[in-house]
Amino acid sequence: MSERSERLMKRRPSTVSRRLPLVWLALHRRRRMLFGLLLGMVVFETLIVVITSTVPPGELFGARRTPPGAFKAFSGSNGDVSIASYPGLLGAGLTHPFWIALQLTVIGSLGAAAVAADVESGTIELLMTRPLSRRRLLAERTGALVAASVLLSAAATLTIALGVAASPALRAAVPEGGVFVAGLMGCALAFSLTGPVLAVSAFTRRRAYVIGAAVAFGAVGFALNFVALAWSPAAPLRYVSPFHYYTPGDVLAHGGVPWASFGVLMAVGAVGLLAAFRLLERRDLAI
Amino acid sequence: MPSSTPVIELRSLTKRYGATVGIDRLDVTVAAGEVFGLLGPNGAGKTTTLRCLVGLLQPSDGQVRVLGLDPVADHRRLAPSVGYLPGELRLYPELTGQQTLDLLAALQGAPVPRQRELCDRLTLTRADLGRAVGEYSRGMKQKLGLVQSLQHRPEVVVLDEPTEGLDPLVQETFFELLAEETAAGRTVLLSSHVLPEVQRTCGRVAIVRQGRLVTVRSVAELRQARARRVRLVLADGRGARPLGAAERWSPRWDGPRVELLVPPDEVVAAVRAMLAELPVADLTVEEAGLDEAFLDLYRNSDPEDRP
């Protein structure tokens, strides 16, 4: 090797993170998708804020009328917050199927990439023949997923926060800090889905199963909560849905962190994550 | 020069996938400094064996030791000393060649003193390394695979079908690299179904069939034991005919020409007998290739028998 090429080699900065190479890998490979999702989230929440601040709720449902109970599922409330209110409308922007779809895209995509996709494609052979423990593999991949998910929730929260700050009517209806608590609850909901999805990824060797599981947890969870609110005989079902514990409408109306709900969501995520670590320790890493 | 210290030890290694047996009670020992070949057709269990060796698969039964360590339980202690080239090399198509090498070096957590030298010798230019791996040909990917497996100077090198996709010139460079590894006292275990590759590089060979060990022999022994190819041209111009006792050597007729594979210790007697009985116009005797020795062993082994 020539002296010059050796010098060049030493000087060449590596684009790969040496401290967290697997976090870098997960985020670098999906950077365009993540950028698109962030942009989509900002545009969507901007629309929600603009619509909310320009349309008086009274014109939507008429004065002194309350919407059916099932509508609470769309406003992110278990209590008295109607969708025909400013907090209810803003809450709708954080429980809307579009918001859920964006979150599930991140969780499904990065959850599948955590283990299953590498096993299916065979790239795990290159990674796991390095001095890398299975725990570190999953920890870094979890870190990447949580970071992407938090970023998405932060984009939604900041957009709404700016909208609320800019509109006197919204500022008057939403307590200070309510928007950020709603963002925190959004992160907790995402984590409650992330844990079980990672467990599926650690167990299976097909990325399609992981994406399917993410969609099932999200869609079935939302549907259960909706049915439970709409049909009283099915009311007990709401407790098994993560959306029962995710109530941005209530938070935006009253402020304060609902610690019990927050705890349930975080505990579900933690149990899923624990299962993922245990399942990964025991499995074969090649087909 | 290989020492007697075992670097790789497989004792009754068994890997089952549900009801299917991938490998069945495999016993192999590889000494330090040895180049050892694992030979067998596709599906014989070579890749499964190598995956157990590098800790990707947990054995169902039996024991694996590499440098005295368990590849699964002691993975983090063992992995810095092992270089591995998978048989079906899969890379991240979005990463460039350089990013791929940097990523794997970062995960290795150790310096990669040979990266530049190996890229130069395997003709991976800077322009090549700057392109996305998804645009690489099969041969280019294989070159990148070889670089990543050797760039950290591992003590033990495990290569699964290493010359797949390499052009003849690069294959030559690969054989040189392998010779240098051996000269430096490193241990190499490679799997292949390409016999000349094994003949050229390995000191000893394990032949596997349907997950079971057929035999472990030195390449020299295999060569010595292999049959001689006896070719006769008959003067009467007639074609195939019964050859009596010589029928046991599976004669292959082509008009007046016949070819037989005769065990080395029976060649003289066989030639005498055929000269006495047949109108021989021409006769040649030559060593059969390793292919024939391999196929001979294969034909004569029963996968149900323990070696």
Side-chain angles (χ1 to χ4, degrees), chain A residues 41-42 45 93-94 99 151-161 179:
Chain A
M41 185 64 96
V42 169
E45 295 300 345
L94 296 173
W99 183 93
L151 211 60
L152 203 58
S153 289
T157 307
L158 287 176
T159 308
I160 294 177
V179 179

Side-chain angles (χ1 to χ4, degrees), chain A residues 36-37 40-41 44 97-107 152:
Chain A
L37 293 176
M41 185 64 96
F44 174 72
F98 186 78
W99 183 93
I100 297 170
L102 295 187
Q103 290 284 3
L104 290 181
T105 305
V106 166
I107 294 168
L152 203 58

Side-chain angles (χ1 to χ4, degrees), chain B residues 55-74:
Chain B
L56 290 167
L57 297 179
Q58 180 101 43
S60 308
D61 220 335
Q63 203 179 46
V64 183
R65 287 284 179 275
V66 180
L67 296 167
L69 299 169
D70 181 318
V72 176
D74 306 314

Side-chain angles (χ1 to χ4, degrees), chain A residues 31-52:
Chain A
R31 62 194 185 282
R32 290 187 189 92
M33 180 196 83
L34 289 174
F35 179 74
L37 293 176
L38 283 172
L39 195 65
M41 185 64 96
V42 169
V43 169
F44 174 72
E45 295 300 345
T46 303
L47 281 173
I48 290 288
V49 169
V50 168
I51 291 166
T52 307

Side-chain angles (χ1 to χ4, degrees), chain A residues 12 14-25 126-127 129-133 136 140, chain B residues 76 80 95 97-113 115 148 151-152:
Chain A
R12 182 184 55 78
S14 172
T15 53
V16 179
S17 161
R18 297 195 77 83
R19 288 178 64 86
L20 298 168
L22 295 174
V23 173
W24 173 86
L25 178 65
L126 279 179
L127 304 182
T129 45
R130 314 283 144 186
L132 177 73
S133 69
R136 184 179 158 197
E140 283 206 34
Chain B
R76 289 188 67 193
L95 300 191
Q98 190 60 59
Q99 282 174 329
T100 303
L101 291 177
D102 288 347
L103 170 73
L104 297 174
L107 291 171
Q108 197 67 46
V112 283
Q115 188 183 99
Q148 65 79 30
Q151 65 178 353
H152 55 292

Side-chain angles (χ1 to χ4, degrees), chain B residues 37-56:
Chain B
L38 211 53
L39 202 57
N42 294 330
K46 305 187 297 290
T47 298
T48 302
T49 306
L50 298 190
R51 284 173 173 168
C52 288
L53 267 176
V54 294
L56 290 167

